[in-house]
Amino acid sequence: MKQNTTTRRIADRLREQIRRGALGPGDRVPSARQIARDDGVALATAMKVLTQLQRERLVRVVPGVGTVVRAREDGPELSRERVVRAAIAIADDDGLAALSMRAVATELGVATMSLYRHVPGKDELVLAMVDAVMNDSLAPARPVLAQQAGWRARLERLARMQWELYTRHPWLAPALSMTRPQLSVSGMQHTEWALAALLEAGFPPAPAMRTCVAFMAYVRGLAMSVEPEREAERDTGMNSDEWMAAQEQQFAAVMPRFPMLAKVSEIADLDMSLDALFECGLACFLAGVESQVRTCEPGRRST
C-alpha cells in the first residue's frame, strides 16, 4: 500500500510539472534511476511511475534519448494517414494491447466515432499500421535489394532491414502471421525480394518459396521476444543481464546436473542479447543456404 502511495505521489508531481509547462513537449523527464536516487525509492517503483505516465500518454520513450514529454497531436485535418501514424505511436510505446479506437481518438484529440470515416475498425487499422511501417523501409533498401547485388548480400540486407523494423516497432512481429499472411502490399515486396534472390541463387520455385518463408519466419520468431523483454525491463527495472545476475544462486544450485551449460556459463562477457542471437542465427541461415546452392546440382534439385 505504501509503495502504491509513493508511486502515485511521484507521478502526481511529474504530471503537475507537465501540466504547468515546467516540462514541455520533447523535454526529458527524470530517468528511473534518477527518480530512485532523488526520491529514495526502489528502481522498480521508479519504473512504475514512468509506466503510469506512458499509459496516460503524457510521456514516450525515445530510443537513445530517454523518456520525454509527448507533443499533443494538433495538426491538420483528420486523415487516414494521421490516424494510422497515431496508432503506430501508441503501439510503439505501449504495445498492441494498449491500442484501441478510443486510445487513438484520445491521442488525436477527436471523437472516437470520427475515426470510423477513415478505418472500419481495429483489425483494419492494425493492417494499415503493418503496411505503413513496411512501406517506410522500402525506399532506403531498394538500391541493394532491387537486383543490384548478389543473392547473399540481398538476403542479408533484407534480414537486417526486417530486424530493424521489429526492434523499432516491437508490436510488429506479433501482428504478423506466417501461415495466414495479411494482404500488405508493402510486406509482399519483402517476399518478392527474398524470392528473387533465392531464385537467382538457383533454387527451384517450390524450395525457394519454402526457404523464403522459413528465412523471414526466423527473423520474426526471434523478434517475438523484443516486446516481452521490454515489458519485463519496465516491470522489474532490470535488463536481462541484471536479471540473470539476480538469479545466479538459483541457477548455480542446479548447474551440476548440466555440465555443458555450466562450462559455457563460465565464459566472461558472453553476449546473449537479442541482437547477438540475431547475428548468430543470420550467419547460420545464410551459410545453410549457400551450402544448398553449392551441393544441389541443377538436374537433381527437387521441385
Side-chain angles (χ1 to χ4, degrees), residues 83 99-106 111-112 115-116 119-122 125:
V83 171
L99 181 66
S100 67
M101 300 299 275
R102 177 176 293 181
V104 176
T106 300
T112 303
L115 302 183
Y116 291 96
V119 286
K122 182 177 176 180
L125 176 58

Side-chain angles (χ1 to χ4, degrees), residues 73-225:
E73 283 281 353
D74 186 23
E77 183 179 350
L78 192 62
S79 65
R80 179 182 173 87
E81 175 70 10
R82 285 191 67 207
V83 171
V84 171
R85 291 300 170 181
I88 290 171
I90 292 172
D92 284 350
D93 287 350
D94 301 324
L96 282 179
L99 181 66
S100 67
M101 300 299 275
R102 177 176 293 181
V104 176
T106 300
E107 179 80 358
L108 293 169
V110 299
T112 303
M113 292 305 297
S114 66
L115 302 183
Y116 291 96
R117 295 198 300 269
H118 305 281
V119 286
K122 182 177 176 180
D123 290 345
E124 293 82 1
L125 176 58
V126 171
L127 177 57
M129 292 161 58
V130 169
D131 201 59
V133 297
M134 287 286 189
N135 185 65
D136 290 343
S137 69
L138 297 184
R142 198 173 296 277
V144 175
L145 294 175
Q147 300 188 7
Q148 294 184 19
W151 67 264
R152 181 177 180 125
R154 281 146 57 197
L155 284 181
E156 181 176 354
R157 179 67 180 87
L158 181 62
R160 293 188 188 285
M161 178 178 70
Q162 292 186 346
W163 182 248
E164 183 182 354
L165 273 176
Y166 289 135
T167 53
R168 190 187 315 147
H169 307 289
W171 54 270
L172 180 59
L176 295 175
S177 172
M178 293 290 105
T179 56
R180 301 187 181 193
Q182 297 93 327
L183 182 56
S184 164
V185 174
S186 299
M188 291 169 72
Q189 183 62 64
H190 287 227
T191 306
E192 180 75 7
W193 277 333
L195 267 177
L198 290 165
L199 290 170
E200 180 188 293
F203 278 72
M209 187 62 185
R210 288 191 290 268
T211 303
C212 169
V213 174
F215 183 62
M216 292 191 290
Y218 152 67
V219 184
R220 173 185 176 266
L222 186 59
M224 290 289 286
S225 295

